[in-house]
Amino acid sequence: MIKSKAFVDTTILTNRLIKFRGEKKEAKDALAKYEITELPVYAIKEFKAGPLDYVKYLYNKLLETESIGLTIIALTNNFRQKNKQATSLKLIGELLEEVKLSRTNNSLKAKYGRLADEESISYDSVKLETKLLTYKSWKKRRSVTTTVVQPLSCYQETAPFEEKNGLLSLKPNKCKTDNCCLIEKLREKRFDVTKLKVAIGNLPEALKTKPENVKRQKILREINSKPSIKISDSDCRNLGDAVFALFCPENADILTTNIKDHKPLANALGKTAISPEQVLSQIPEK
Ligand SMILES: [Zn+2]
């Protein structure tokens, strides 16, 4: 049985705000099954520094290269950031599909004149859609759930803006100080912090050695062993999924698409992590 409250993680916020079709609908439907849905500000911070940054990156590439083809080539050349590459490529495909759908009413042809070639219509509309997506998703971030909880005093929610050269910027997207405000709250939870550290240590080898788990375990260990430790912005980000396990209220489910990473952490603290798919299969559509 699902609980009446959901503690919403970054994957759900992302699917709701910047994904299309199936993923978006599933997130929306799953959220609707809960009486109360809580979004911690930490998820907003993660969303802006990660997924929304990919949308911004795509817009800036489109602006720089002035072409969809060259943007795709530039993205595939970006080998060092596989995640960003895959996400941006998928997004450009989604946006091209969206543009195709909206073109049935021919309004774009009217706007750009009959002589406008297909490629430049697509380029202009994809560029515009990417920019709108950046602004609109940010604007909607606080209305995805019934409430936004757990503000972070070291993080300011600043809207995306256009720089003088037309490029989009998401700054600031980090903690304001070199000692994140989470440290105080984490010190109060030292037993839970230890449980999570142990839980990561007990993961199967393939999961335990994932870079994010190695970093997460290190910072969890240091929180308890170094009394004067400071949490930097990258430590704050590396805590990631652990933050949701630690700060999810007892009477809530962690709602996430990333069950594999969340479940062992949530379970270590006697909490539950559940995916939209699982929520919807428990309560069939009427
Ligand atoms: Zn912080």
Side-chain angles (χ1 to χ4, degrees):
M1 271 302 285
I2 65 165
K3 298 184 175 136
S4 63
K5 193 196 281 189
F7 192 65
V8 176
D9 97 325
T10 315
T11 61
I12 301 292
L13 181 67
T14 301
N15 284 6
R16 186 65 190 80
L17 291 177
I18 62 165
K19 297 289 175 73
F20 297 88
R21 297 176 285 180
E23 288 168 303
K24 186 187 195 106
K25 187 177 184 305
E26 201 177 59
K28 193 177 175 183
D29 292 347
L31 284 165
K33 298 293 178 197
Y34 285 91
E35 222 171 286
I36 301 165
T37 49
E38 291 186 345
L39 181 73
V41 171
Y42 187 84
I44 294 177
K45 180 177 190 255
E46 265 199 331
F47 169 72
K48 196 184 188 199
L52 189 62
D53 193 61
Y54 304 155
V55 186
K56 177 216 81 173
Y57 177 83
L58 178 59
Y59 176 79
N60 288 351
K61 271 280 167 275
L62 284 164
L63 198 76
E64 276 167 17
T65 62
E66 297 180 352
S67 129
I68 292 177
L70 293 176
T71 295
I72 292 173
I73 293 170
L75 291 175
T76 53
N77 284 337
N78 189 358
F79 287 118
R80 271 188 298 174
Q81 292 170 295
K82 279 265 173 256
N83 212 357
K84 191 178 257 190
Q85 185 188 78
T87 310
S88 308
L89 284 172
K90 183 173 177 189
L91 185 61
I92 205 165
E94 298 275 18
L95 290 169
L96 279 166
E97 287 301 306
E98 289 296 304
V99 165
K100 200 166 79 187
L101 290 176
S102 70
R103 203 186 289 171
T104 48
N105 60 12
N106 267 342
S107 65
L108 285 163
K109 279 216 169 115
K111 192 169 155 196
Y112 293 103
R114 272 193 299 172
L115 292 174
D117 62 281
E118 294 286 312
E119 150 71 18
S120 62
I121 294 178
S122 293
Y123 170 74
D124 284 335
S125 25
V126 166
K127 193 174 74 174
L128 179 65
E129 290 297 326
T130 313
K131 189 183 201 173
L132 289 177
L133 190 61
T134 310
Y135 284 117
K136 276 190 194 164
S137 61
W138 180 255
K139 208 172 163 186
K140 276 195 234 157
R141 73 196 183 281
R142 284 179 161 260
S143 51
V144 164
T145 52
T146 57
T147 163
V148 175
V149 296
Q150 302 174 6
L152 301 170
S153 61
C154 64
Y155 180 66
Q156 203 177 345
E157 291 175 56
T158 310
F161 65 95
E162 228 172 306
E163 291 175 334
K164 274 192 191 130
N165 53 12
L167 295 175
L168 287 179
S169 172
L170 299 182
K171 285 175 189 163
N173 57 7
K174 294 181 174 166
C175 302
K176 269 192 281 187
T177 64
D178 61 355
N179 192 17
C180 176
C181 64
L182 278 177
I183 187 64
E184 294 306 322
K185 299 184 183 107
L186 290 166
R187 282 217 183 89
E188 290 163 16
K189 290 183 178 282
R190 56 179 303 122
F191 296 113
D192 284 350
V193 166
T194 303
K195 283 181 194 164
L196 288 190
K197 189 197 76 182
V198 172
I200 295 173
N202 288 337
L203 288 173
E205 203 59 26
L207 276 177
K208 186 165 64 177
T209 50
K210 270 168 76 176
E212 65 226 56
N213 277 327
V214 173
K215 289 182 202 158
R216 193 167 293 149
Q217 200 184 18
K218 178 171 178 281
I219 180 74
L220 288 169
R221 187 186 306 121
E222 289 177 354
I223 288 164
N224 282 351
S225 64
K226 295 184 183 171
S228 61
I229 189 184
K230 284 184 175 179
I231 304 263
S232 68
D233 180 71
S234 63
D235 295 331
C236 168
R237 284 189 69 177
N238 288 337
L239 281 165
D241 301 344
V243 172
F244 294 89
L246 287 165
F247 296 105
C248 174
E250 302 280 340
N251 61 351
D253 292 323
I254 298 173
L255 184 62
T256 175
T257 65
N258 185 8
I259 283 294
K260 203 174 71 191
D261 289 324
H262 275 282
K263 202 175 183 314
L265 299 177
N267 290 356
L269 303 182
K271 297 177 186 178
T272 48
I274 191 164
S275 70
E277 215 179 352
Q278 290 167 327
V279 171
L280 297 170
S281 70
Q282 284 192 25
I283 313 169
E285 291 295 325
K286 278 170 198 156

Short mmCIF file of all heavy atoms in Angstrom, two decimals, residues 76-109:
data_model
loop_
_atom_site.label_atom_id
_atom_site.label_comp_id
_atom_site.label_asym_id
_atom_site.label_seq_id
_atom_site.Cartn_x
_atom_site.Cartn_y
_atom_site.Cartn_z
N THR A 76 27.68 15.22 -29.89
CA THR A 76 28.30 13.89 -29.95
C THR A 76 29.80 13.97 -29.75
O THR A 76 30.43 12.99 -29.37
CB THR A 76 28.00 13.17 -31.28
OG1 THR A 76 28.36 14.03 -32.34
CG2 THR A 76 26.54 12.81 -31.40
N ASN A 77 30.39 15.14 -30.00
CA ASN A 77 31.82 15.30 -29.76
C ASN A 77 32.15 15.50 -28.28
O ASN A 77 33.29 15.47 -27.88
CB ASN A 77 32.38 16.49 -30.55
CG ASN A 77 32.53 16.14 -32.01
OD1 ASN A 77 32.64 14.97 -32.36
ND2 ASN A 77 32.52 17.14 -32.87
N ASN A 78 31.09 15.74 -27.51
CA ASN A 78 31.29 16.02 -26.09
C ASN A 78 31.36 14.71 -25.30
O ASN A 78 30.45 14.35 -24.57
CB ASN A 78 30.11 16.89 -25.61
CG ASN A 78 30.33 17.42 -24.21
OD1 ASN A 78 31.33 17.10 -23.57
ND2 ASN A 78 29.40 18.19 -23.73
N PHE A 79 32.48 13.99 -25.48
CA PHE A 79 32.61 12.65 -24.92
C PHE A 79 32.74 12.63 -23.40
O PHE A 79 32.43 11.67 -22.76
CB PHE A 79 33.82 11.93 -25.51
CG PHE A 79 33.60 11.52 -26.92
CD1 PHE A 79 34.38 12.02 -27.95
CD2 PHE A 79 32.58 10.62 -27.23
CE1 PHE A 79 34.18 11.63 -29.26
CE2 PHE A 79 32.37 10.24 -28.54
CZ PHE A 79 33.17 10.74 -29.56
N ARG A 80 33.25 13.70 -22.84
CA ARG A 80 33.54 13.67 -21.42
C ARG A 80 32.29 13.70 -20.55
O ARG A 80 32.30 13.27 -19.42
CB ARG A 80 34.47 14.83 -21.04
CG ARG A 80 35.93 14.43 -21.17
CD ARG A 80 36.83 15.48 -20.62
NE ARG A 80 36.68 16.73 -21.35
CZ ARG A 80 37.27 17.85 -21.01
NH1 ARG A 80 38.03 17.90 -19.95
NH2 ARG A 80 37.11 18.94 -21.72
N GLN A 81 31.22 14.23 -21.11
CA GLN A 81 30.01 14.32 -20.31
C GLN A 81 28.89 13.48 -20.93
O GLN A 81 27.96 14.01 -21.52
CB GLN A 81 29.60 15.78 -20.15
CG GLN A 81 30.58 16.55 -19.31
CD GLN A 81 30.31 18.03 -19.37
OE1 GLN A 81 30.45 18.65 -20.42
NE2 GLN A 81 29.90 18.61 -18.26
N LYS A 82 29.02 12.19 -20.79
CA LYS A 82 28.09 11.22 -21.39
C LYS A 82 26.63 11.51 -21.03
O LYS A 82 25.74 11.43 -21.88
CB LYS A 82 28.42 9.80 -20.90
CG LYS A 82 29.58 9.19 -21.67
CD LYS A 82 29.08 8.32 -22.82
CE LYS A 82 30.20 7.82 -23.70
NZ LYS A 82 30.27 8.55 -24.96
N ASN A 83 26.42 11.83 -19.77
CA ASN A 83 25.07 12.05 -19.28
C ASN A 83 24.42 13.25 -19.96
O ASN A 83 23.30 13.20 -20.46
CB ASN A 83 25.16 12.31 -17.77
CG ASN A 83 23.94 11.81 -17.05
OD1 ASN A 83 23.01 11.33 -17.68
ND2 ASN A 83 23.95 11.92 -15.74
N LYS A 84 25.19 14.32 -19.99
CA LYS A 84 24.73 15.56 -20.60
C LYS A 84 24.49 15.33 -22.10
O LYS A 84 23.51 15.78 -22.67
CB LYS A 84 25.81 16.64 -20.39
CG LYS A 84 25.36 18.03 -20.75
CD LYS A 84 26.46 19.03 -20.46
CE LYS A 84 26.19 19.81 -19.19
NZ LYS A 84 27.09 20.94 -18.98
N GLN A 85 25.40 14.58 -22.71
CA GLN A 85 25.31 14.27 -24.13
C GLN A 85 24.00 13.52 -24.45
O GLN A 85 23.23 13.93 -25.31
CB GLN A 85 26.51 13.42 -24.53
CG GLN A 85 26.62 13.11 -26.00
CD GLN A 85 27.73 12.10 -26.23
OE1 GLN A 85 27.54 10.91 -26.00
NE2 GLN A 85 28.87 12.56 -26.67
N ALA A 86 23.78 12.44 -23.72
CA ALA A 86 22.59 11.61 -23.98
C ALA A 86 21.31 12.41 -23.73
O ALA A 86 20.37 12.36 -24.53
CB ALA A 86 22.63 10.37 -23.09
N THR A 87 21.29 13.16 -22.61
CA THR A 87 20.09 13.91 -22.27
C THR A 87 19.80 14.98 -23.32
O THR A 87 18.65 15.17 -23.72
CB THR A 87 20.26 14.57 -20.88
OG1 THR A 87 20.71 13.56 -19.97
CG2 THR A 87 18.97 15.15 -20.38
N SER A 88 20.84 15.68 -23.77
CA SER A 88 20.64 16.75 -24.73
C SER A 88 20.20 16.20 -26.08
O SER A 88 19.35 16.77 -26.75
CB SER A 88 21.92 17.56 -24.91
OG SER A 88 22.41 17.98 -23.67
N LEU A 89 20.77 15.06 -26.49
CA LEU A 89 20.40 14.45 -27.76
C LEU A 89 18.94 13.99 -27.73
O LEU A 89 18.19 14.18 -28.68
CB LEU A 89 21.31 13.27 -28.10
CG LEU A 89 22.71 13.65 -28.60
CD1 LEU A 89 23.59 12.41 -28.71
CD2 LEU A 89 22.64 14.35 -29.96
N LYS A 90 18.55 13.40 -26.61
CA LYS A 90 17.17 12.94 -26.49
C LYS A 90 16.23 14.14 -26.55
O LYS A 90 15.20 14.11 -27.23
CB LYS A 90 16.98 12.18 -25.18
CG LYS A 90 15.59 11.61 -25.05
CD LYS A 90 15.44 10.71 -23.85
CE LYS A 90 14.00 10.24 -23.74
NZ LYS A 90 13.74 9.53 -22.50
N LEU A 91 16.62 15.19 -25.85
CA LEU A 91 15.77 16.38 -25.79
C LEU A 91 15.59 17.00 -27.17
O LEU A 91 14.49 17.42 -27.53
CB LEU A 91 16.39 17.39 -24.81
CG LEU A 91 15.57 18.64 -24.55
CD1 LEU A 91 14.22 18.29 -23.94
CD2 LEU A 91 16.33 19.57 -23.60
N ILE A 92 16.64 17.04 -27.94
CA ILE A 92 16.52 17.66 -29.26
C ILE A 92 15.57 16.83 -30.13
O ILE A 92 14.75 17.37 -30.88
CB ILE A 92 17.91 17.88 -29.91
CG1 ILE A 92 17.84 19.03 -30.92
CG2 ILE A 92 18.47 16.66 -30.60
CD1 ILE A 92 19.20 19.55 -31.35
N GLY A 93 15.62 15.51 -29.97
CA GLY A 93 14.67 14.64 -30.67
C GLY A 93 13.24 14.90 -30.23
O GLY A 93 12.33 15.04 -31.05
N GLU A 94 13.04 15.00 -28.92
CA GLU A 94 11.71 15.26 -28.37
C GLU A 94 11.17 16.59 -28.90
O GLU A 94 10.01 16.71 -29.29
CB GLU A 94 11.77 15.34 -26.83
CG GLU A 94 12.23 14.07 -26.13
CD GLU A 94 11.10 13.08 -25.89
OE1 GLU A 94 10.05 13.20 -26.55
OE2 GLU A 94 11.28 12.17 -25.05
N LEU A 95 12.03 17.60 -28.90
CA LEU A 95 11.59 18.93 -29.33
C LEU A 95 11.25 18.95 -30.81
O LEU A 95 10.29 19.59 -31.22
CB LEU A 95 12.66 19.98 -28.99
CG LEU A 95 12.82 20.27 -27.50
CD1 LEU A 95 14.05 21.10 -27.24
CD2 LEU A 95 11.59 20.98 -26.94
N LEU A 96 12.03 18.22 -31.61
CA LEU A 96 11.72 18.15 -33.04
C LEU A 96 10.35 17.51 -33.24
O LEU A 96 9.56 17.94 -34.09
CB LEU A 96 12.80 17.34 -33.78
CG LEU A 96 14.07 18.13 -34.14
CD1 LEU A 96 15.18 17.17 -34.54
CD2 LEU A 96 13.81 19.13 -35.26
N GLU A 97 10.05 16.48 -32.43
CA GLU A 97 8.73 15.84 -32.52
C GLU A 97 7.62 16.80 -32.10
O GLU A 97 6.58 16.87 -32.73
CB GLU A 97 8.70 14.59 -31.63
CG GLU A 97 9.48 13.41 -32.17
CD GLU A 97 8.99 12.96 -33.54
OE1 GLU A 97 7.80 12.69 -33.68
OE2 GLU A 97 9.82 12.90 -34.48
N GLU A 98 7.87 17.54 -31.02
CA GLU A 98 6.89 18.51 -30.55
C GLU A 98 6.59 19.56 -31.61
O GLU A 98 5.46 19.93 -31.87
CB GLU A 98 7.41 19.23 -29.28
CG GLU A 98 7.45 18.38 -28.05
CD GLU A 98 6.07 17.92 -27.61
OE1 GLU A 98 5.20 18.78 -27.39
OE2 GLU A 98 5.86 16.70 -27.51
N VAL A 99 7.68 20.04 -32.23
CA VAL A 99 7.56 21.07 -33.25
C VAL A 99 6.75 20.53 -34.44
O VAL A 99 5.91 21.21 -34.99
CB VAL A 99 8.96 21.54 -33.69
CG1 VAL A 99 8.90 22.32 -34.98
CG2 VAL A 99 9.60 22.38 -32.59
N LYS A 100 7.02 19.27 -34.78
CA LYS A 100 6.30 18.64 -35.89
C LYS A 100 4.80 18.59 -35.60
O LYS A 100 3.98 18.90 -36.46
CB LYS A 100 6.84 17.21 -36.08
CG LYS A 100 6.58 16.62 -37.44
CD LYS A 100 7.40 15.36 -37.67
CE LYS A 100 6.78 14.18 -36.96
NZ LYS A 100 7.64 12.97 -37.01
N LEU A 101 4.48 18.25 -34.35
CA LEU A 101 3.07 18.18 -33.96
C LEU A 101 2.41 19.54 -34.06
O LEU A 101 1.31 19.69 -34.57
CB LEU A 101 2.95 17.65 -32.52
CG LEU A 101 3.30 16.19 -32.29
CD1 LEU A 101 3.22 15.86 -30.81
CD2 LEU A 101 2.35 15.28 -33.07
N SER A 102 3.11 20.55 -33.55
CA SER A 102 2.50 21.88 -33.50
C SER A 102 2.44 22.51 -34.89
O SER A 102 1.77 23.51 -35.10
CB SER A 102 3.25 22.78 -32.53
OG SER A 102 4.51 23.10 -33.07
N ARG A 103 3.15 21.90 -35.84
CA ARG A 103 3.18 22.50 -37.16
C ARG A 103 1.93 22.16 -37.98
O ARG A 103 1.70 22.73 -39.04
CB ARG A 103 4.43 22.04 -37.90
CG ARG A 103 4.82 22.99 -39.01
CD ARG A 103 5.97 22.43 -39.79
NE ARG A 103 7.20 22.46 -39.01
CZ ARG A 103 8.32 21.87 -39.39
NH1 ARG A 103 8.34 21.17 -40.50
NH2 ARG A 103 9.39 21.95 -38.65
N THR A 104 1.15 21.19 -37.47
CA THR A 104 -0.04 20.78 -38.25
C THR A 104 -0.98 21.96 -38.50
O THR A 104 -1.69 21.98 -39.47
CB THR A 104 -0.81 19.66 -37.52
OG1 THR A 104 -0.96 20.06 -36.16
CG2 THR A 104 -0.07 18.34 -37.59
N ASN A 105 -0.94 22.94 -37.59
CA ASN A 105 -1.84 24.09 -37.81
C ASN A 105 -1.23 25.14 -38.75
O ASN A 105 -1.83 26.18 -39.01
CB ASN A 105 -2.22 24.73 -36.47
CG ASN A 105 -1.01 25.23 -35.72
OD1 ASN A 105 0.09 25.30 -36.29
ND2 ASN A 105 -1.17 25.58 -34.46
N ASN A 106 -0.04 24.84 -39.22
CA ASN A 106 0.59 25.69 -40.23
C ASN A 106 0.93 27.11 -39.77
O ASN A 106 1.30 27.94 -40.59
CB ASN A 106 -0.28 25.78 -41.49
CG ASN A 106 0.15 24.72 -42.50
OD1 ASN A 106 1.25 24.18 -42.39
ND2 ASN A 106 -0.69 24.43 -43.46
N SER A 107 0.78 27.35 -38.48
CA SER A 107 1.02 28.71 -38.02
C SER A 107 2.48 29.12 -38.24
O SER A 107 2.77 30.28 -38.50
CB SER A 107 0.66 28.84 -36.55
OG SER A 107 1.54 28.02 -35.80
N LEU A 108 3.36 28.13 -38.15
CA LEU A 108 4.78 28.47 -38.32
C LEU A 108 5.08 28.88 -39.76
O LEU A 108 5.83 29.82 -40.01
CB LEU A 108 5.66 27.29 -37.92
CG LEU A 108 5.78 27.08 -36.41
CD1 LEU A 108 6.30 25.68 -36.12
CD2 LEU A 108 6.71 28.12 -35.80
N LYS A 109 4.44 28.15 -40.70
CA LYS A 109 4.67 28.48 -42.10
C LYS A 109 4.18 29.90 -42.38
O LYS A 109 4.81 30.66 -43.10
CB LYS A 109 3.98 27.47 -43.02
CG LYS A 109 4.80 26.20 -43.18
CD LYS A 109 4.69 25.61 -44.58
CE LYS A 109 5.73 24.53 -44.76
NZ LYS A 109 5.17 23.20 -44.94
#
